[in-house]
Amino acid sequence: MILLYQAIAGALVFLADFFLFRKDKVFPDILLKLGNGVILTNLISITLMKYVLRIENLFLVSSHGPLYPVKYIVLTVAIGLVLLIIKGFLLHVFQLEKEETRLSKKQIVLRVLLVAVFFLGIAAFTGTVWGHQTFGDMTPDQFLVNLKSPINGTSSDIYITIFQQPVPESLLATWIFAIFVFAPYKLLYQNRHAARVIISRRVKAILSLILALVMLVSGVGYGVHVFQLTKVFKAYFSDSPFVAENYVSANDVHLEFPERPRNLIHIYLESYENSYLTKELGGYMGTNLIPELTNLAETGTVFSNTDYPFGGPLQTFGAGWSVAGVVNMELGVPLMIPMDGNSYGTNGTFLPGVVGLGDILAARGYEQSCMYGANADFGGLTTYYQNHGDQYIFDYKEALRLGKIPEGYDVGWGYEDDKLYEFAKEEMTRLYETGKPFHFSMENADTHAPDGHMTPDTEIIFDQQYANVVYHSEKQVVDLVHWIQQQPFYENTTVVLTGDHNSMDYKFFKDFDSNYLRTPFNLILNAPVSTENVRNRQFAQFDFFPTILASMGIRIEGDRLGLGTNLFSSTPTLMEQYGVEEVRNQLDQRSNFFIDELLNINKRSTYENTNVSQY
């Protein structure tokens, strides 16, 4: 519908331009005026609304009231009239003299190439700005994974922001540049004595070449810098023995299980991090955004990287997005995927050489399921869960199949957390009633960037939408935990709550002190094991793999699995052993062992360990 309003506004500007400044009625002249009226004025209007008026969701007409179309048309026409006034003024000071000779085919091709080069440069620049504002400090591994992954399950709001920001900005700048390149005029300055040529065809050609090359180099260079793409070379064209020397397969370790197997509920909290707490607790806020989780933590175990009561794992390469967070915490390795992308789920395998949490529990007879409000195909999660424990997947597709949501239902990433928590209660009850020990995992999504998803019952307490979403979301999470604690299965169930990664909401964190170290939230409840060594720990997300097993009462020979270390033990983590920066530096590099042994499609993640016992 917005296209209709844009067309109306552009047509009005075109008519004003044509009747005020027409010199003839030659078709190319009409076409140029029409293009300027419809495209140029609308692009300027969109840019003004986005950056000056700060209007969000420009293309979602229904979210701005019934008068929004009228306001849009009036604003765009006003902009067009201002441009026409400026045009009239310039025509009395400057003179555009039409070139006598036409451009040759070769000259036309060269100019088209210049416009294409300019567009690539400006698209790289605006795309990088958009990516950084939308996803925060996206690392090259995250960038490449999402680039290779299927788009199913991605929020439509993300796509809308592309057409609100980088697309119109790139088109606007390219349109202006194309006018400059192709306009068959030379610019003369008129004074009392004579007209003097300022920009001739030759000068314009030189300027066009310089502008196009500068834009391409600066745009690509800016993208390389922001997304740290120089690390791609390091990651894919070097070889570090670090993973090979420190990886411990679950097939090679003696595991001792309790006689009565414990259930496991793992709630992945989208973008939950410790910065939401007050500074006195280890956060960054003046007001605690997760007060109920803070109170809940008094009855559980929190591992902190500082002397404050709340802290978390230090993110490494291959851990900064949702799927990578799951892989780190359930397989004990970062998601270090080669550029060919063969193991992102597109060929039916996902880290087939790794034995993880789902594999181990499946071998012990656990009933396992996972739940997402989004489409689990995104990022290869469907393949991951099928490969590791053949787990039941209750995602957006399954909710549709079961009639839990109507056909065409689409809120944010699929269906909102309100429904997710109710479905989760039903699923946990079903798992318990099977009579088997169960493993249930889920991830909420309302706190996903950008800005989070506002529900009708979200209270407006803070100035920023994201703060309100987080504050509301954590109450829902704690309500779910309280429900779990009232169920008959809780007495024999470990509940794990972890932020999947640091938030990517760039706007919310842009004013943070760069010296503040942001870490994902973690809390373990009702574990039959404890430790006093919970603060000043240097650990990564992959350390949660053996730690979660230990929280279920499972004893691990050597307290090491994957690259992870059981945090309930006194065994130092890899970060404590080698130093944080050394671990990060090593994981930034390519690992032939990882590729040959863990990614190899001929491998199978089968838990074949017979060296097990129970106590």
Side-chain angles (χ1 to χ4, degrees), residues 421-577:
Y421 298 130
E422 292 307 310
F423 298 160
K425 293 175 183 177
E426 295 174 4
E427 180 61 11
M428 283 184 273
T429 301
R430 182 192 72 81
L431 289 169
Y432 169 63
E433 290 175 349
T434 65
K436 301 178 182 179
F438 69 83
H439 166 212
F440 174 72
S441 63
M442 61 177 288
E443 179 165 11
N444 60 9
D446 282 358
T447 44
H448 200 290
D451 299 326
H453 173 68
M454 290 278 287
T455 59
D457 56 343
T458 301
E459 293 183 86
I460 308 300
I461 300 173
F462 308 99
D463 293 334
Q464 293 174 288
Q465 175 175 313
Y466 197 66
N468 291 310
V469 171
V470 170
Y471 189 76
H472 177 72
S473 174
E474 75 103 25
K475 293 181 182 300
Q476 292 179 306
V477 171
V478 174
D479 284 345
L480 179 63
V481 173
H482 286 161
W483 178 89
I484 293 171
Q485 291 175 326
Q486 295 167 5
Q487 302 312 302
F489 55 75
Y490 179 69
E491 173 265 332
N492 191 44
T493 300
T494 297
V495 178
V496 178
L497 300 100
T498 55
D500 58 348
H501 54 75
N502 286 335
S503 174
M504 301 175 191
D505 199 288
Y506 169 78
K507 291 184 293 184
F508 189 74
F509 300 94
K510 64 180 180 179
D511 295 327
F512 270 42
D513 185 339
S514 59
N515 293 319
Y516 176 76
L517 186 60
R518 295 164 53 198
T519 56
F521 178 85
N522 75 95
L523 170 61
I524 299 177
L525 297 170
N526 202 34
V529 60
S530 63
T531 178
E532 297 297 323
N533 189 22
V534 294
R535 297 192 187 182
N536 292 310
R537 300 299 306 271
Q538 303 303 300
F539 62 105
Q541 283 154 294
F542 49 69
D543 288 307
F544 279 113
F545 173 34
T547 302
I548 290 171
L549 285 173
S551 74
M552 300 171 65
I554 300 171
R555 298 170 183 172
I556 306 166
E557 177 189 10
D559 290 305
R560 294 282 317 283
L561 283 176
L563 294 179
T565 302
N566 173 17
L567 296 174
F568 285 103
S569 73
S570 58
T571 304
T573 67
L574 294 184
M575 285 187 169
E576 291 168 339
Q577 181 179 345

Side-chain angles (χ1 to χ4, degrees), residues 136-152:
D137 296 321
M138 191 191 303
T139 55
D141 50 334
Q142 177 191 348
F143 177 83
L144 289 171
V145 165
N146 287 306
L147 186 66
K148 291 284 185 179
S149 298
I151 63 173
N152 294 336

Side-chain angles (χ1 to χ4, degrees), residues 254-317:
H254 176 217
L255 299 180
E256 194 175 0
F257 294 81
E259 182 177 359
R260 183 189 181 193
R262 290 182 66 81
N263 306 311
L264 171 64
I265 296 173
H266 190 165
I267 304 175
Y268 289 97
L269 303 172
E270 172 61 54
S271 302
Y272 269 59
E273 56 176 83
N274 294 299
S275 67
Y276 302 153
L277 296 149
T278 58
K279 293 181 179 179
E280 293 76 17
L281 294 171
Y284 198 83
M285 300 295 155
T287 302
N288 190 352
L289 299 183
I290 50 175
E292 295 193 23
L293 271 176
T294 305
N295 294 334
L296 190 64
E298 294 179 1
T299 62
T301 301
V302 175
F303 292 100
S304 174
N305 62 306
T306 69
D307 195 40
Y308 289 102
F310 288 90
L314 306 174
Q315 288 191 176
T316 64
F317 189 93

